[in-house]
Amino acid sequence: MVTLKINDQEVKVAEGTTVLEAAKKLGVIIPTLCNHPDLCVAGNCRVCVVEQKGARTLIAACAMPVSEGMDIHTNSLKVRNARKHIVELLLSEHRADCTKCYKNQKCELQTLANEYSFGEHLFLDLVEGHAYNIDRSSPSFTKDDSKCIRCQRCVRTCAQLQHVSAIAVANKGAHMKISSFHDRPMSHVVCTNCGQCVNRCPTGALTEKTYIDQVWDAIYDKDRHVVVQTAPAVRVALGEDLGYDPGERVTGKMVTALRQLGFDSVLDTDFTADLTIIEEGTELLSRLKKVLVDKDNSTALPMFTSCSPGWIKFIEHKYPDMLPNLSTCKSPQQMFGALAKTFYAKKRNLDPAKVISVSIMPCTAKKYEADRPEMRSSGYKDIDFVLTTRELAVMIKQAGIDFRTLEPSHYDSIMGTSTGAAVIFGATGGVMEAALRTAYELVTGKPVPFKNLNITPVRGMEGVKEATVKIEGTTEEWRFLEGAELKVAIAHGLVNANKVAKAVSSGKASYHFIEIMACPGGCIGGGGQPIPTNAVVRQKRMDAIYSEDMHMDLRKSHENPEVVAIYEEFLEKPNGHKSHELLHTHYVAREAY
Amino acid sequence: MENKGLTKVDLIFESIDIRKVMTKAFEMTSEEIINEILESGLKGRGGAGFPTGLKWKYTAAEKEPEKYIVCNADEGEPGTFKDREILDRVVYKVYGGMAIAGRAMGAKKGFIYLRGEYRFLLPQLFLELHKFHKMISEIGYDFNIEYRMGSGAYICGEESALFESIEGFRGEPRNKPPYPTVSGLFSKPTSINNVETLVTAVMIIDKGAGEYVKLGTKDSRGSKVFSISGDTPIPGIFELELGMTVQEFVNEFGDGDTKAVQVGGASGFCVPRKKFAETIIGFEGVPTGGSMKLFNSSRSMYNVLHNYLDFFTEESCGQCTPCRVGCQQLLKGVEKVKKGEAKSTYLNELVKLADTMKVASKCGLGQSVGNAFKSIVENFREEIIY
Amino acid sequence: MYQTDNMVKELADKHGRKRESLMPILQDIVKKYNYLTDDAMVAVATELDISAAEVYGTASFYTFLDTEERGKNVIRVCKTITCSMKGKNDIVGTIEDILKIKVGGTTPDRMFTLLETNCIGWCHKAPAMLVNDMPYTDLTPETVIDVIKGYMRK
Ligand SMILES: Cc1cc2nc3c(=O)[nH]c(=O)nc-3n(C[C@H](O)[C@H](O)[C@H](O)COP(=O)(O)O)c2cc1C
Ligand code: SF4
Ligand code: SF4
Ligand code: SF4
Ligand code: SF4
Ligand code: FES
Ligand code: FES
């Protein structure tokens, strides 16, 4: 343990603790910008500078480990002057048109400006005469360099969490900036649209492409029937943007709010999550059968899940030779979209051309996914608009809804019923658990041998998880699987996905089924989720997801009555002709940069 | 304060029997070598002036089996060109210094980071290296030197930026601690020394610390190679004993009309005529990595300052706010004042900004921009305004 | 493209495929082709298993690792204080006149690119410049013409 003084208060902390963390322990707040708990220390913005008695210069609290006897002052005149200068410097190269900015009131730079800079600016405006690039090419987010404070959080995110490095720091000196490969548009590089960088950008330099106005237009268009679906991870995070603590489940209130916003039907992505389990589970079993029984070596194993569009784009760029290993199942969002303008429209007697399908997602990559040319199997754009959790919160605020006082209500049907297996899609390991709950039972006629159906080995925040499930007591049809050990792996965050993909591609891993989520923690940590998202917040959202599961009457996808019904009425059978037309897709190999 | 007057010395370029020195060093223990350097009082010649003996001692004390010795030959400070001359004329002494340092610290591998601008020297340097490797392995050394090239970035002379560059990254300085002696190149304990420092170390081993301490003053031991340029009839490289005043220096090298001397390059200090007599060149007065630029009264100090600020604006790595934006503000600021578009009192704001850069920047570059800025603005205010 | 890939592969064989091999590889490409084409950067990224943006980001940090097209002979005239005081502008002006390009430009025959650079360590013999790797010092408008003409004949 190390003893030091901060603002004359003594504190004891473990060796290796930073001054910033030590101060936090005392309740002393030191402002930060480049620092983010998910990322390695950068120490480049310098707003966290503090005074250390006897040191020649100020020190960066985020980057300085404590040492015995340190005497730190966080608010001396020297510190305040330096901090004010630094904030003023950042503002001088920043196009601060806050009232026009999407990040207005949610911006870390603005908060600092509020505390340190009012009245006349100290320094010259450097924005004028500087040609900044505003890249609107990605369907998921906008990159506006004139709002960038060069904290490099995005670059560290893309490298350390996602192993993509679609963006990097380029040039030096006054020309230093955040750039894609040779300034190519973001839509034309390896970027997966995961939005993890967006979630960590302290300013308005990286923001999701917003479709709020288009959705309002659709809602107010009397000619349109607007259906909305909500992804599993939204209900455990939305509250954070509306005044709740992380980890509060607000499902019922959210449904009421959506209805009040004017959506014609409030439905649940969870329904198609259950459907995905049936389709994907069937696909896995049939691949196993082809390989084990038919000895068909053109069938690719292991099979990767395909519900995370960031992961899909990642593998398309980085491991195009493994595309046959991807499940052909569309993501739940896109299955929903395809059914909304076919099955749903027919049942509700609606002209599909007049149905507008909106989805509320924890994810920015879903915006990109909805725009993919493959996603038009209904004959229309299957999903018209994707809003993030954050955008929904904005709409709720715009509508003047007092979220806290709302009475909870239930999803509409049809396509609004779901099970606990679908809810857990929102957390890493959830798809695997849901799939195992159904597949095991399908093959053996018995529930998975875990207490309360909770398959704990696939749960948790470990970057790569592995599990083996021994299949015993199979029914006649699945006898070939008797005694087989199903090997599964789960990875979340593309840096971990890459590890697994690399192991598979080099033949070092022998899995059968692999769940991959592009974002850390799975969708609960999605790029479209409330800011801040960090390890503590992700854990709370994850706990909420599993508690939501435990509160559901039905917890296995194949028991979802609406799923049973849709096969009887419309789809006929899993992986059948109609399924293939509407619920499955294909992938394209992309370039390596 | 001790004042030694101006004395020319021939230590660095003096030719020696390198095999003899290497053999002598080989017979010394690690402690003996380090103690000799400690006793000599040698301080680093790259600018920062850290005691070389201590640096070696710290690195030697690290338990990690893999250690490196790095020779900093990035010489990017405007007005400095002595390292090039040393490499050109006595590179075997540089190699010798590295091998001796390696022996003292238990490092088997050395890297020389040579600035891209000096690439033309390479063929000859390789030839010498080949001979040197052969010679020391005959003596019994287990030490090997490799070259790594810079590619035009002044900041790569900063030690941690240099490591980043060798490791294949942008030359962005790291947070300190950890210091190089604990975690340097490839995160291994590393002693990084300037070209001239290494040569001096060889000379100390050859002649003994006792001889060496006779040169220079208490705070600035020994002699130093100066790179002299600007308004002087005899520009070039001169080895001088430390401890002279700027006046004595100007008497020898000035053109009779010297109004200012920039000591230590763009990141150093500008000494105006009225302070020549009281200013000692060395760690007790104005420290220098060797760059001495003389300006006579025909020169505009505004142009000098502008040129330096332009240099820093381009050569800052750009990662930290005070330096990246501060340099631009200083540059644009003096332009505005000069054009009459900003009040002359704005210079006072800029001086305060320079102070912030000094204490809040991440590395030595941003921290030293204020040196030239303040010493020029404070001493030549009228030239900046009118 | 095929040629670039092969060249990069050879360089990776020579220097290795670790991150620390990046600079030597890029330096060798520039030595041969005067600048880094997009194809070359992508090929390097593929060989070293890093992202192309990383390669670009690193290269663009270093003044001598050009990512824009450059001529066969790259002239870099020092613009730092001593050279600046000792007639750098006349040198640049003279080169601009004979090559009929401005600073930053490349001749239409792609033989020459004219750039300015920071102190190259020849201040005592200012003004100075580099043509590719070779320094030329104590320049006058007359001597610089000779130097450039020498390269024209090569
Ligand atoms: C911006 C900057 C540039 C530097 N450039 C050089 C250089 O070109 N050569 C050098 O030896 N040291 C340079 N240094 C100092 C090095 O960081 C380091 O202190 C030195 O190499 C240590 O060697 P020494 O102790 O032998 O002087 C520079 C420092 C800074 C902050
Ligand atoms: S990024 Fe922040 S400071 Fe900049 S305009 Fe937007 S809200 Fe204002
Ligand atoms: S969206 Fe994801 S992949 Fe794209 S730049 Fe941001 S972090 Fe990288
Ligand atoms: S885009 Fe955002 S996260 Fe990235 S450097 Fe700029 S301000 Fe920081
Ligand atoms: S002070 Fe300048 S050179 Fe040093 S880290 Fe900061 S921006 Fe880079
Ligand atoms: S938060 Fe510490 S330097 Fe940015
Ligand atoms: S100023 Fe031109 S070479 Fe140094």
Coordinates of all heavy atoms in Angstrom, one line a residue, chain C residues 61-83:
Chain C
F61 N 3.0 10.1 -40.4 CA 3.7 10.8 -39.3 C 5.1 11.3 -39.8 O 5.6 12.3 -39.3 CB 3.9 9.8 -38.1 CG 4.5 10.5 -36.9 CD1 3.7 11.1 -36.0 CD2 5.8 10.4 -36.7 CE1 4.2 11.7 -34.9 CE2 6.4 11.0 -35.5 CZ 5.6 11.6 -34.6
Y62 N 5.7 10.5 -40.7 CA 7.1 10.7 -41.0 C 7.2 11.5 -42.4 O 6.7 11.1 -43.4 CB 7.8 9.4 -41.1 CG 7.9 8.7 -39.8 CD1 7.0 7.7 -39.5 CD2 8.9 9.1 -38.9 CE1 7.1 7.1 -38.2 CE2 9.0 8.4 -37.6 CZ 8.1 7.4 -37.3 OH 8.1 6.8 -36.1
T63 N 7.9 12.7 -42.3 CA 8.0 13.5 -43.4 C 8.6 12.8 -44.7 O 8.1 13.1 -45.8 CB 8.9 14.7 -43.1 OG1 8.5 15.2 -41.8 CG2 8.8 15.8 -44.1
F64 N 9.5 11.9 -44.5 CA 10.1 11.2 -45.6 C 9.4 10.0 -46.1 O 9.8 9.4 -47.1 CB 11.6 10.8 -45.3 CG 12.5 11.9 -45.1 CD1 12.1 13.3 -45.2 CD2 13.9 11.7 -44.8 CE1 13.0 14.3 -45.0 CE2 14.8 12.8 -44.6 CZ 14.3 14.1 -44.7
L65 N 8.3 9.6 -45.5 CA 7.5 8.5 -46.0 C 6.3 9.1 -46.7 O 5.2 9.1 -46.2 CB 7.1 7.6 -44.8 CG 8.2 6.9 -44.1 CD1 7.7 6.0 -43.0 CD2 9.1 6.1 -45.0
D66 N 6.5 9.6 -47.9 CA 5.5 10.3 -48.6 C 4.4 9.3 -49.0 O 4.6 8.2 -49.5 CB 6.0 11.0 -49.8 CG 6.8 12.2 -49.5 OD1 6.2 13.1 -48.9 OD2 8.0 12.3 -49.9
T67 N 3.1 9.8 -48.9 CA 2.0 9.0 -49.3 C 1.4 9.6 -50.5 O 0.4 9.1 -51.0 CB 1.0 8.8 -48.2 OG1 0.6 10.1 -47.7 CG2 1.5 8.0 -47.0
E68 N 1.9 10.7 -51.0 CA 1.4 11.4 -52.2 C 2.5 11.1 -53.3 O 3.7 11.0 -53.0 CB 1.2 12.9 -52.0 CG 0.2 13.2 -50.9 CD -1.1 12.5 -51.0 OE1 -1.6 12.3 -52.1 OE2 -1.7 12.1 -49.9
E69 N 2.1 11.2 -54.5 CA 3.0 10.9 -55.6 C 4.2 11.9 -55.6 O 4.1 13.1 -55.4 CB 2.3 11.0 -57.0 CG 3.3 10.6 -58.1 CD 2.6 10.3 -59.4 OE1 1.4 10.4 -59.5 OE2 3.3 9.9 -60.3
R70 N 5.4 11.3 -55.8 CA 6.6 12.1 -55.8 C 7.4 11.7 -57.1 O 7.3 10.6 -57.6 CB 7.5 11.7 -54.6 CG 6.9 12.1 -53.3 CD 6.8 13.6 -53.1 NE 6.2 14.0 -51.8 CZ 5.2 14.8 -51.6 NH1 4.5 15.3 -52.7 NH2 4.8 15.1 -50.4
G71 N 8.3 12.7 -57.5 CA 9.1 12.4 -58.7 C 10.3 11.5 -58.3 O 10.5 11.2 -57.1
K72 N 11.1 11.2 -59.4 CA 12.2 10.3 -59.2 C 13.3 10.9 -58.3 O 13.9 10.2 -57.5 CB 12.8 10.0 -60.6 CG 13.9 9.0 -60.6 CD 14.1 8.5 -62.0 CE 15.3 7.5 -62.1 NZ 16.6 8.1 -62.1
N73 N 13.4 12.2 -58.4 CA 14.4 12.9 -57.5 C 13.6 13.9 -56.6 O 12.9 14.8 -57.1 CB 15.4 13.7 -58.3 CG 16.2 12.7 -59.2 OD1 16.9 11.8 -58.7 ND2 16.0 12.9 -60.5
V74 N 13.7 13.7 -55.3 CA 13.0 14.6 -54.4 C 14.0 15.6 -53.8 O 15.0 15.2 -53.2 CB 12.3 13.7 -53.3 CG1 11.6 14.7 -52.3 CG2 11.4 12.7 -53.9
I75 N 13.7 16.8 -54.1 CA 14.6 17.9 -53.6 C 14.0 18.5 -52.3 O 12.8 18.8 -52.4 CB 14.7 19.0 -54.7 CG1 15.2 18.5 -56.0 CG2 15.6 20.1 -54.2 CD1 14.9 19.4 -57.2
R76 N 14.7 18.5 -51.3 CA 14.2 19.1 -50.0 C 15.1 20.2 -49.6 O 16.2 20.0 -49.1 CB 14.1 18.0 -48.9 CG 13.2 16.9 -49.2 CD 13.3 15.8 -48.1 NE 12.8 14.6 -48.6 CZ 11.5 14.2 -48.6 NH1 10.6 14.9 -48.0 NH2 11.1 13.0 -49.1
V77 N 14.7 21.4 -49.7 CA 15.5 22.6 -49.4 C 15.2 22.9 -47.9 O 14.0 23.0 -47.5 CB 15.2 23.8 -50.3 CG1 16.1 25.0 -49.9 CG2 15.3 23.4 -51.7
C78 N 16.3 23.1 -47.1 CA 16.1 23.4 -45.7 C 15.5 24.8 -45.6 O 16.0 25.8 -46.2 CB 17.4 23.3 -45.0 SG 17.3 24.0 -43.3
K79 N 14.5 24.9 -44.8 CA 13.8 26.2 -44.6 C 14.0 26.7 -43.1 O 13.4 27.7 -42.7 CB 12.4 26.1 -44.9 CG 11.6 25.2 -43.9 CD 10.1 25.3 -44.1 CE 9.5 24.3 -43.2 NZ 8.1 24.3 -43.1
T80 N 14.8 26.0 -42.3 CA 15.0 26.5 -40.9 C 15.9 27.7 -40.9 O 16.6 28.0 -41.9 CB 15.4 25.3 -40.1 OG1 14.4 24.2 -40.3 CG2 15.4 25.6 -38.6
I81 N 16.0 28.2 -39.7 CA 16.5 29.6 -39.5 C 17.8 30.0 -40.2 O 17.8 30.9 -41.0 CB 16.5 30.0 -38.0 CG1 16.8 31.5 -37.9 CG2 17.4 29.2 -37.2 CD1 15.7 32.4 -38.4
T82 N 18.8 29.2 -40.1 CA 20.1 29.6 -40.7 C 20.0 29.6 -42.2 O 20.4 30.6 -42.8 CB 21.2 28.7 -40.2 OG1 21.2 28.6 -38.8 CG2 22.6 29.2 -40.6
C83 N 19.5 28.5 -42.7 CA 19.3 28.5 -44.2 C 18.4 29.6 -44.7 O 18.7 30.2 -45.7 CB 18.8 27.1 -44.7 SG 20.0 25.8 -44.3

